[in-house]
Structures are given as C-alpha cells and as structure tokens.
Amino acid sequence: MNEGIRIILTIFCTEMGDRSQISAIALAAIYDFWVVSIGGSVGHMVALALAIMFGKAVSSYTSEKCINIVGGILFLIFSAYSILVYYVLEDEAEK
C-alpha cells in the first residue's frame, strides 16, 4: 500500500469519534458547514504540523520504542487523572 494512503487511513481511523469530531458536531449546529469545515481543517493541520515537528525533533534524541513507552505512560497518567477528577474530586465537590 502506498505510504500516503496508509497515513491518510491511519489518521482518519484514529480521529473518528475523538473529541475533535464531537466538537465539530457541536460547532456545526451553530455555524455554517464551510466555516466549520475550513476552520476545523486548518486547526487540525496546524496541530498536526506541530506534532510532526515535535516528533522529528524528539526522534533524533531517542528511539521509537522509548517514545512509545513514554506515550503509553502519559496516556495512563492522563487516564488516572481523568478518573480521579470525575469520580473522586467531583463526589467531594457535591458534599
């Protein structure tokens, strides 16, 4: 499979259903289709460009395995934080 098609399919599949899609649905309820489409595309391209530049810079100092491990650990930390905020801190705020 062509590398370009593989990249397009990978990003498409990982982005479907994430928060940016949910926010696009909410924005589409308020604004015109083209405004949301262009604004979302530009915003996504800028975020992707920053991620690519960061990835290129970091990859020159460390291995892909290390990046995957750090990414996995950060994912677990953010997940634990979300659970803590939602279940523990929110319950204490309601008291």
Side-chain angles (χ1 to χ4, degrees), residues 7-26:
I7 291 169
I8 290 169
L9 289 175
T10 301
I11 291 175
F12 176 79
C13 290
T14 57
E15 289 297 320
M16 289 308 297
D18 80 347
R19 290 176 295 188
S20 62
Q21 300 299 316
I22 305 301
S23 62
I25 292 169

Side-chain angles (χ1 to χ4, degrees), residues 54-71:
F54 180 75
K56 282 286 192 188
V58 169
S59 69
S60 65
Y61 297 106
T62 187
S63 68
E64 183 179 349
K65 182 177 181 179
C66 181
I67 293 171
N68 286 333
I69 290 170
V70 171

